[in-house]
Amino acid sequence: MKSLLVFAAAAATLFGAHAQTFPGSKPVTFVVPFAAGGPTDRVARDLAEAMRKSMGNGANFVVENVNGAGGTIGANKVAKAAPDGHTLLLHHIGMAAAPGLYRKLQYKPLEDFEYLGMINEVPMTLIGKPQLVANTYRDLENLIRTDAAKLNIAHAGLGSASHLCGLMWQAAINAKEPMTTIPFGGTAPAMNALVGGQVDMMCDQTTNTSGQIEAGRVKAFAVTTAKPLKSNKLLKDLPTLQEMGLKGFDLTIWHGLYAPKGTPPAVLAQINTALKLALKDPDFIKKEEGLGAVVVTDKRVEPAAHKEFVTAEINKLKPVIEAGGKFAD
Ligand code: MLT
């Protein structure tokens, strides 16, 4: 108890007056720009639990799902929110993909947000409906080469991770024509459609696909990471796309935390400290690793390095999206 009081006193001096008032009785909202039950939502709920503990002083974290337009509606809501630390955005690689896909983006990813730190990195899996005629990755690739227009691929809107993966994969296999794309408000509803056989395939994060693969409700064909997931007992035998001949294919979905521009520095520092403590929480780490995610432990947990990383990702993804051309819708 004494160490807790000492910690609180240290925090109070370190962060000044705000440490006593923020977050106060008002909850801190994590805006998730996709539907409830999906991979982004999962990271948000697990992190909210961990930050409830690490922030202390009775802080309460809630999750609000604001989906649509590949995550840009939710991101815009936070960009325009009051800069008081009570409305935060939990978003992923879509933060860096949107500028290359939306000519009229309602917000500027690098100017309209305060960067709070990176959270984790999550592999993706190529999966199919149970009735899909393909059983191996080779079957799947051949199926797309011959019947792409007759097959559909689900995603969570332009700029979502599932959309980006589908675009990159179709470009990498040099499909003659694009598959039909079926957008959803998130990959939770998309997964329901896939399990039900209403859509043919999807590329989604292991935080959402592991359970369905384990239960045998979907077919799994490959992982999108550069290296196989050898330490993951469920996914260790899935080939990487590089092993399947797609040179340099390497896609991992990172997640970060953002506040509206102009949020007071003392509040930002308090949130970043609580985030870094939460990322060291054994329960949080166990939950993440159990779903194939890796919690960030490098300098990207610091705001400046987080922003530097996203800037580099924006520049890296723009030509990838341009090269994806006809597969980008
Ligand atoms: C995505 O495809 O961007 C996400 O998986 C969507 C989601 O979290 O539902």
Side-chain angles (χ1 to χ4, degrees):
M1 185 56 187
K2 185 166 173 296
S3 55
L4 202 62
L5 289 173
V6 168
F7 176 75
T13 42
L14 190 60
F15 302 127
H18 282 291
Q20 280 83 30
T21 54
F22 181 78
S25 56
K26 199 173 153 203
V28 177
T29 299
F30 280 167
V31 170
V32 167
F34 297 102
T40 314
D41 185 67
R42 179 63 200 258
V43 175
R45 291 179 196 277
D46 289 349
L47 185 67
E49 188 49 41
M51 285 185 73
R52 210 165 278 134
K53 290 191 276 181
S54 63
M55 177 70 89
N57 59 19
N60 183 21
F61 286 78
V62 295
V63 172
E64 180 189 356
N65 302 88
V66 180
N67 64 36
T72 56
I73 292 176
N76 189 44
K77 172 172 180 151
V78 177
K80 307 295 190 287
D84 58 13
H86 285 96
T87 308
L88 304 178
L89 173 66
L90 193 145
H91 200 1
H92 61 30
I93 196 169
M95 197 69 170
L101 283 158
Y102 291 83
R103 264 182 295 285
K104 288 204 178 58
L105 203 52
Q106 303 291 315
Y107 57 90
K108 296 184 180 67
L110 296 174
E111 294 161 39
D112 295 344
F113 296 92
E114 304 290 356
Y115 282 58
L116 284 164
M118 301 282 290
I119 302 164
N120 66 4
E121 294 181 292
V122 190
M124 297 192 91
T125 45
L126 276 183
I127 56 175
K129 67 183 180 184
Q131 307 86 342
L132 199 63
V133 287
N135 287 309
T136 65
Y137 173 78
R138 210 39 88 208
D139 295 344
L140 178 71
E141 192 176 284
N142 293 336
L143 190 62
I144 304 303
R145 281 191 199 293
T146 50
D147 286 332
K150 285 191 219 128
L151 290 153
N152 59 55
I153 184 165
H155 61 60
L158 249 63
S160 65
S162 43
H163 168 256
L164 186 63
C165 179
L167 173 161
M168 289 170 63
W169 179 61
Q170 291 178 76
I173 63 172
N174 217 354
K176 282 191 208 55
E177 50 198 342
M179 298 176 74
T180 307
T181 57
I182 316 275
F184 291 80
T187 47
M191 182 64 86
N192 293 338
L194 187 73
V195 168
Q198 283 97 43
V199 291
D200 295 325
M201 68 167 288
M202 175 160 73
C203 181
D204 196 15
Q205 299 172 65
T206 54
T207 31
N208 197 31
T209 62
S210 298
Q212 302 294 355
I213 294 169
E214 189 153 33
R217 285 194 284 265
V218 296
K219 287 182 177 179
F221 297 102
V223 293
T224 62
T225 43
K227 293 196 176 67
L229 304 177
K230 282 303 168 210
S231 59
N232 183 308
K233 63 180 187 327
L234 175 72
L235 307 171
K236 62 185 171 45
D237 299 326
L238 283 181
T240 66
L241 291 174
Q242 288 192 27
E243 286 168 336
M244 290 292 103
L246 305 187
K247 201 165 163 311
F249 201 103
D250 178 8
L251 180 60
T252 300
I253 307 305
W254 43 266
H255 294 77
L257 202 57
Y258 308 86
K261 189 78 183 167
T263 304
V267 171
L268 295 174
Q270 208 175 328
I271 296 169
N272 175 258
T273 300
L275 171 65
K276 286 191 279 198
L277 282 173
L279 296 187
K280 293 191 173 78
D281 178 332
D283 290 346
F284 179 70
I285 294 170
K286 189 158 170 261
K287 283 178 194 167
E288 289 294 292
E289 290 181 349
L291 292 166
V294 177
V295 176
V296 170
T297 54
D298 59 36
K299 64 174 183 164
R300 290 174 301 169
V301 293
E302 299 299 342
H306 174 197
K307 187 165 186 175
E308 214 175 283
F309 175 75
V310 175
T311 305
E313 286 283 286
I314 291 173
N315 297 330
K316 183 179 96 177
L317 286 175
K318 269 204 179 126
V320 168
I321 290 164
E322 267 152 36
K326 64 184 178 187
F327 305 112
D329 80 342

